[in-house]
Amino acid sequence: MKWLLRILVALVFLATAVLAGAWLFFPWYAPALVERLIARNGVAIELSDVKRPGFSGIGFGRLEATVTTEPDSCDTIAPSYALKLLNGRVSWRRIAAKNNAAFSLQLDADSVSVRQTPSDIRFSQAKPRLRARIDLSKSAGFLPSVSPDSITTKISNGIVEAGQLRLEKLSYTVLLTRTNNWVQQPARFRADSLLSGNTATPLSDIKATFGLKKVRKSPAR
């Protein structure tokens, strides 16, 4: 029986060494792993300065992503979106769920910027925060089935630029849920001022309520 005990001790030591090595060298192999998992047709991602993970989160220095959509009957030229996050952190925690396991994910960063081409519409915000809920359920395979339930982010003091026009101190809450087929529901929009270059226009304290709606017969509307 001694040889069996020695084998078990050796296996435990090996597993510990593998886990310790994976944690120690995580910042070196994580970017390539993430880029391979997320990158798809029309999607490119670059992750740098990844920190070693903790029990409830992981940080990174910069994330840049480019998403190019397919052209349709509304847009003959496929729009492209370039996103940049600086000094971000992803954290997670388990939350109560009735029939399956569920996790709350949160993404925080020092700043975010998004640029759409060819329209050249630019958005930027300091201290963005995005929350999401992920549900895990049993599947026929070894790994559980993963399905997102909701994604929300509150835009606060955002800036939108298009050419010489600039909306400042923009606020709007984005909420996408599985129950609403991932369509943005009506929410309050507000912007303090509209500028042309560095000159303020007569428009100020702009307020509106709007959302999105899918129209199958007329997708361009």
Side-chain angles (χ1 to χ4, degrees):
M1 297 296 293
K2 289 184 178 181
W3 61 270
L4 180 58
L5 181 60
R6 289 176 181 175
I7 291 176
L8 290 175
V9 171
L11 290 175
V12 170
F13 177 79
L14 178 62
T16 303
V18 170
L19 291 175
W23 178 83
L24 182 63
F25 294 103
F26 185 82
W28 284 271
Y29 68 79
L33 180 62
V34 171
E35 291 164 15
R36 178 170 295 184
L37 289 174
I38 296 179
R40 296 290 185 274
N41 292 335
V43 179
I45 186 169
E46 183 179 340
L47 187 63
S48 62
D49 194 19
V50 179
K51 313 301 180 184
R52 293 185 178 90
F55 290 106
S56 61
I58 183 173
F60 59 88
R62 187 186 67 192
L63 184 149
E64 294 187 27
T66 303
V67 180
T68 302
T69 61
E70 294 291 336
D72 54 24
S73 58
C74 307
D75 300 305
T76 56
I77 301 176
S80 178
Y81 302 85
L83 177 145
K84 181 187 291 184
L85 286 166
L86 296 179
N87 295 325
R89 176 176 173 81
V90 178
S91 55
W92 54 81
R93 62 182 178 86
R94 185 163 182 173
I95 57 178
K98 291 184 178 180
N99 300 321
N100 51 26
F103 286 86
S104 173
L105 303 180
Q106 182 170 303
L107 170 63
D108 295 277
D110 283 354
S111 65
V112 60
S113 62
V114 181
R115 185 169 191 160
Q116 184 195 52
T117 54
S119 61
D120 196 29
I121 297 175
R122 305 172 300 280
F123 167 79
S124 59
Q125 179 188 340
K127 302 297 182 182
R129 171 171 291 178
L130 182 146
R131 292 188 177 98
R133 170 175 165 156
I134 304 295
D135 290 338
L136 304 180
S137 57
K138 293 182 179 180
S139 65
F142 177 75
L143 296 176
S145 175
V146 180
S147 58
D149 179 79
S150 63
I151 299 173
T152 182
T153 181
K154 185 175 182 180
I155 299 172
S156 178
N157 291 326
I159 297 174
V160 173
E161 300 173 271
Q164 293 296 313
L165 296 178
R166 184 169 76 253
L167 279 172
E168 291 193 338
K169 294 187 178 180
L170 182 151
S171 62
Y172 188 71
T173 298
V174 177
L175 175 60
L176 307 175
T177 63
R178 182 170 51 195
T179 55
N180 286 316
N181 199 25
W182 304 107
V183 176
Q184 170 66 23
Q185 300 303 295
R188 188 71 165 171
F189 170 92
R190 181 174 180 176
D192 275 13
S193 57
L194 174 66
L195 286 78
S196 178
N198 293 321
T199 304
T201 69
L203 292 176
S204 62
D205 196 20
I206 304 166
K207 298 178 182 179
T209 299
F210 69 90
L212 300 177
K213 182 178 180 181
K214 289 184 178 180
V215 181
R216 295 181 179 180
K217 293 183 180 180
S218 302
R221 295 182 181 178

